[in-house]
Amino acid sequence: MSSMRLNRFALALLALLMAAPAFAADVTFTGLVTWRERMALPPDAALTVNLVTLPGQQRVTGARADLGGKAGSPIRFTLDVRSDVLAEGGAFGLLAEIRSNGAIVFGNRQPVPVDALMPAGILIPVEFSPPPLDPPGQMLPPEPPNPLLDVVWTLTSIGGDPALPGRAVTFSIAADHRAGGNGGCNNYFTEADFETLPLSFGPVAGTRMACDPAVMAQEARFFSALGATRGYELTGDALRLVDAAGVPLAGLIRQP
């Protein structure tokens, strides 16, 4: 083959390479769908992630997965897109919806722009029951406020025995479910769980000050009661922590 023919062949090969689609391989978009509300999803909840064109928001492809009611924020997603879908170029975005019983529980109204060259680590923030996505009659109502949150309680009894006078044992649960207070001697910290049971607590951690033996003994009993809690009873301003059999472990009263 002459030098001129070789040069022509090389130029033709270069032209073919330059004309090849920019996305020669399939693309896998991965990331997280997040929301601010702390709540368990309904048992029939399902997540759908759609790839749409921008700015027209025409659906290109998507994927759906059942969540089983056990998922909370965030939810990891994976969306495989064939190379020929992206070959024509243009701008794309992702829309996420979590539906239950035909209604949208969470969704994002504005697509999150994506780049096929950087398909990982995508964050899709969704909102609770956004009105533009479904008629108002189909939206799920928000959960009523939890009566135990952001309230300070004082111990009145432990295991049927009245609390010791003079050293108040306090207890509260914040909106993010962090719980704690003062055990009569030491400040303590734990985390409340309202999802797997009516109420339970994680391991208790606290300071290590030494106090009167009777105060220390009551504090240890209260920490053990928190660890054994599997539910609660609320009557007016009175709260009782109970075990799995419904036996009262500790009685508390709401502070003014």
Side-chain angles (χ1 to χ4, degrees), residues 153-170 182-184 214-215 217-219 221-222 249-253:
W153 307 87
T154 301
L155 184 72
T156 58
S157 63
I158 180 75
D161 300 324
L164 296 175
R167 290 291 187 97
V169 177
T170 60
N182 187 278
V215 174
Q218 176 179 265
E219 182 175 83
R221 292 179 67 190
F222 180 62
L249 299 171
L252 304 104
I253 190 168

Side-chain angles (χ1 to χ4, degrees), residues 37-157:
E37 291 79 5
R38 190 182 181 101
M39 59 178 284
L41 295 175
D44 65 337
L47 169 66
T48 300
V49 177
N50 288 319
L51 181 74
V52 298
T53 61
L54 297 179
Q57 298 191 24
Q58 295 297 312
R59 183 182 182 277
V60 178
T61 187
R64 179 184 181 278
D66 293 327
L67 300 177
K70 298 181 180 179
S73 177
I75 297 175
R76 188 172 301 277
F77 73 89
T78 299
L79 178 61
D80 296 320
V81 181
R82 298 195 314 273
S83 59
D84 58 346
V85 172
L86 304 172
E88 296 181 0
F92 299 92
L94 291 178
L95 287 173
E97 293 180 354
I98 297 177
R99 286 181 173 264
S100 171
N101 196 29
I104 292 178
V105 182
F106 291 98
N108 62 318
R109 286 170 281 182
Q110 295 298 323
V112 174
V114 294
D115 185 344
L117 299 179
M118 293 184 293
I122 301 167
L123 189 66
I124 307 179
V126 292
E127 299 177 4
F128 179 68
S129 298
L133 294 180
D134 269 330
Q138 294 184 356
M139 291 190 300
L140 298 179
E143 290 188 342
N146 190 317
L148 300 190
L149 301 184
D150 295 323
V151 177
V152 178
W153 307 87
T154 301
L155 184 72
T156 58
S157 63

Side-chain angles (χ1 to χ4, degrees), residues 28-39:
T28 298
F29 293 103
T30 61
L32 300 174
V33 175
T34 66
W35 59 90
R36 292 176 297 178
E37 291 79 5
R38 190 182 181 101
M39 59 178 284

